[in-house]
Amino acid sequence: MLWMKWKMVVDSLRGRRRRMPCSLWFLLLFAAGGLVLFIHQRDLSEMVQQQGPGVKLGSTPRQSRETLSTQDRERGKPDGYQDHRAAEGILSSPIPPMQFPHFEESRQPPPPGSREQDIGSLHVSKRHRKLLKTSPPIHHTGNNVSSPSSSPSSTSSVSSSSSAFDSFSPESWKKLSNILEARRQLMKETCAKYKSSISRTITRHHVKHLFVEDKYKLLYCQVPKAGCSNWKRTLMVLAGQAPNAQSINHDTVHYGHHLKTLDSFDRQGIMHRLETYTKVMFVREPLERIVSAYRDKFENPNNYYHSLFGKPIISKYRVNPSGAALKTGSGVTFKEFVQYLLDVHRPVGMDIHWEQANQLCNPCLIDYDFIGKFENMEEESNFVLRLTGAPPNITLPSFKDRNPTDKRTSMQITQKYFSQVSMLERQRAYDFYYMDYLMFNYSKPFKDLY
């Protein structure tokens, strides 16, 4: 009996020894799982901080409302467009595009009447402060595309343009300098948020809308309906091809082939100019711009646009079109034009006159020294011309030689035209140009937009 009791005690102790390692393993596994979870959460927080605000994990660079329009735009391209882009000679540039620093923000009011939202007067780099200070133009220093700016003139232009600075008071000069620099910084911040994953390779396709003026080392990206005709006239005068802008008619500007585009140069020539020339673009309130384009191309005689765009637009979107309308393509209504613009399966591709400005000029790849606004065109253009060393007698003209009897498209006229479409179509049109609104800091044009 005593032996049996002793055996039971020993067996009980052995069973406890067997169970103790199980509890220890459980504790060890629980601790290890907690450690893995802690490390994973820490990695996630670091990824969020690196991507910056406004970017979702795993998102593409075309997130936000631009996603609504990307497929529309690509499907609406003419046949062979993608093949054409693939066939473009890729410029394996050693120049990285834009850098995306963190910014210190303060408030800088926009120019009066510009419809530009309050923009942060962000910290100005030493190089750009040197470029924009109230002094004669600075010489080129050969910085690359990713540098804060490229200096705008050569040595020979200093003496001829010094007196031109008298047209700007120190206060207005400083104010414009701050506004232009703040726009550049806002562009960098927007590109960092929404376009950080785009290819960094600059191709000929990216520079095909940049016009070159070699004498004053100027690159101008055309955005139609944002003053591009008068800017081209000014480039021709700077190049010595005309005595003044008033003597150059519309057809000579656009069809005379007097100006070279940057994609006409070889790789070395393209990269050299991107590194050393002053790069300029001007933009306009996006919906006002497309109303201006519609009025110019469809409300006035224009055989090219009526035939190429008018006929398929009327055929697809008009109920019971007349034979005359189908034959001539004349009389496209604004509602039909908006339907075409927003259609995923457009009957005809996009056109430069209503393509998004950021798609024409690629400001996330090309670091523009000056981003000007059509709403303050005269002052800002002449500011740029003075910095490039242009002679003081050369200023941007303001005349309108196409359909001169038509009133210029204003925001009031834009609202009148958009009252012809539904609220949903207004919203979709705003969404289509949403990235332009963000990059160039325009406020919502209608109160019912979200």
Side-chain angles (χ1 to χ4, degrees):
M1 180 66 70
L2 185 62
W3 167 253
M4 294 295 292
K5 288 183 178 181
W6 173 251
K7 187 176 181 181
M8 289 174 63
V9 171
V10 170
D11 289 343
S12 175
L13 289 174
R14 284 178 180 174
R16 288 179 185 176
R17 284 208 315 239
R18 287 193 203 101
R19 286 193 297 272
M20 285 181 66
C22 293
S23 60
L24 285 174
W25 277 111
F26 177 77
L27 290 174
L28 287 173
L29 287 173
F30 182 79
L35 181 62
V36 170
L37 182 62
F38 173 76
I39 293 172
H40 181 64
Q41 289 179 335
R42 186 175 180 182
D43 290 343
L44 285 176
S45 64
E46 289 176 355
M47 288 172 66
V48 171
Q49 290 175 0
Q50 289 172 2
Q51 291 195 37
V55 179
K56 297 181 180 180
L57 292 177
S59 65
T60 66
R62 288 185 179 270
Q63 287 293 335
S64 81
R65 296 184 186 178
E66 195 189 32
T67 307
L68 299 174
S69 65
T70 302
Q71 294 180 347
D72 292 25
R73 186 168 56 253
E74 293 303 322
R75 291 176 183 173
K77 298 290 184 184
D79 293 338
Y81 175 82
Q82 295 297 336
D83 294 339
H84 171 72
R85 288 191 62 176
E88 297 278 1
I90 294 181
L91 308 171
S92 53
S93 167
I95 307 168
M98 298 181 67
Q99 303 298 315
F100 307 130
H102 296 289
F103 310 116
E104 297 177 21
E105 296 191 9
S106 59
R107 304 308 298 170
Q108 174 69 34
S114 69
R115 295 194 302 281
E116 185 173 2
Q117 301 185 85
D118 283 350
I119 188 169
S121 179
L122 307 173
H123 181 69
V124 182
S125 65
K126 289 183 179 179
R127 279 207 73 259
H128 211 65
R129 188 183 298 112
K130 184 179 181 183
L131 169 66
L132 294 173
K133 67 181 181 180
T134 53
S135 64
I138 312 301
H139 317 314
H140 284 273
T141 57
N143 277 4
N144 60 25
V145 177
S146 66
S147 66
S149 80
S150 299
S151 185
S153 71
S154 60
T155 309
S156 60
S157 64
V158 174
S159 59
S160 65
S161 62
S162 297
S163 60
F165 286 78
D166 296 338
S167 60
F168 290 92
S169 66
E171 292 78 14
S172 63
W173 188 269
K174 182 179 179 181
K175 179 182 177 182
L176 272 175
S177 300
N178 290 337
I179 289 172
L180 289 167
E181 175 61 15
R183 289 175 188 165
R184 294 180 69 253
Q185 298 286 34
L186 176 65
M187 176 62 67
K188 290 184 179 184
E189 187 179 45
T190 306
C191 290
K193 286 182 180 180
Y194 300 106
K195 303 278 189 174
S196 59
S197 299
I198 62 174
S199 171
R200 296 306 189 207
T201 304
I202 298 176
T203 69
R204 292 183 183 276
H205 171 78
H206 295 125
V207 299
K208 67 181 182 180
H209 296 302
L210 272 74
F211 287 87
V212 180
E213 205 299 293
D214 284 316
K215 183 177 180 181
Y216 291 95
K217 298 186 176 182
L218 186 63
L219 297 178
Y220 166 72
C221 181
Q222 68 164 338
V223 177
K225 314 311 298 180
C228 76
S229 295
N230 282 332
W231 253 103
K232 288 181 183 179
R233 288 185 175 95
T234 303
L235 294 179
M236 290 176 64
V237 174
L238 289 173
Q241 298 177 4
N244 55 68
Q246 287 72 17
S247 63
I248 311 172
N249 64 40
H250 182 271
D251 288 346
T252 302
V253 169
H254 293 286
Y255 310 118
H257 304 290
H258 295 287
L259 296 171
K260 294 180 179 180
T261 53
L262 189 55
D263 65 341
S264 66
F265 294 86
D266 61 17
R267 174 187 171 280
Q268 184 179 359
I270 292 174
M271 289 304 143
H272 169 71
R273 287 167 176 81
L274 286 174
E275 290 173 7
T276 60
Y277 283 23
T278 302
K279 297 169 287 294
V280 178
M281 67 177 293
F282 274 80
V283 294
R284 184 176 185 175
E285 206 286 334
L287 296 190
E288 182 180 294
R289 177 175 160 247
I290 68 167
V291 169
S292 177
Y294 165 78
R295 295 177 70 205
D296 181 28
K297 304 306 178 188
F298 296 106
E299 287 190 343
N300 291 284
N302 192 312
N303 291 334
Y304 176 81
Y305 278 89
H306 292 184
S307 177
L308 182 62
F309 291 91
K311 289 179 182 180
I313 288 175
I314 291 173
S315 177
K316 182 166 185 179
Y317 305 108
R318 185 172 299 180
V319 179
N320 298 323
S322 67
L326 291 172
K327 183 178 180 180
T328 63
S330 300
V332 172
T333 67
F334 184 69
K335 184 175 180 64
E336 291 167 343
F337 173 70
V338 171
Q339 287 177 308
Y340 143 77
L341 189 67
L342 302 177
D343 192 351
V344 176
H345 305 287
R346 297 188 193 95
V348 62
M350 283 291 285
D351 181 76
I352 188 175
H353 289 83
W354 42 85
E355 180 66 277
Q356 293 99 324
N358 76 86
Q359 293 293 314
L360 295 174
C361 296
N362 302 287
C364 290
L365 277 178
I366 300 169
D367 190 5
Y368 287 89
D369 300 295
F370 298 98
I371 301 172
K373 295 290 183 77
F374 177 84
E375 293 77 17
N376 194 31
M377 173 69 79
E378 182 178 358
E379 184 179 22
E380 292 181 15
S381 296
N382 293 329
F383 177 88
V384 172
L385 289 171
R386 301 293 75 80
L387 280 175
T388 58
N393 62 312
I394 296 181
T395 57
L396 192 83
S398 59
F399 65 88
K400 184 176 184 286
D401 66 342
R402 268 183 67 82
N403 311 313
T405 58
D406 290 351
K407 189 176 180 180
R408 286 186 184 273
T409 303
S410 62
M411 204 57 208
Q412 289 73 26
I413 291 176
T414 299
Q415 291 171 344
K416 178 181 177 182
Y417 274 80
F418 270 94
S419 67
Q420 302 172 28
V421 303
S422 68
M423 184 178 71
L424 177 60
E425 287 170 326
R426 283 197 299 273
Q427 181 65 53
R428 290 189 63 206
Y430 173 72
D431 292 345
F432 188 80
Y433 293 97
Y434 184 67
M435 195 54 64
D436 279 358
Y437 277 96
L438 283 182
M439 286 184 172
F440 306 116
N441 198 41
Y442 282 105
S443 56
K444 293 179 182 178
F446 307 112
K447 293 180 179 179
D448 57 358
L449 298 176
Y450 58 85

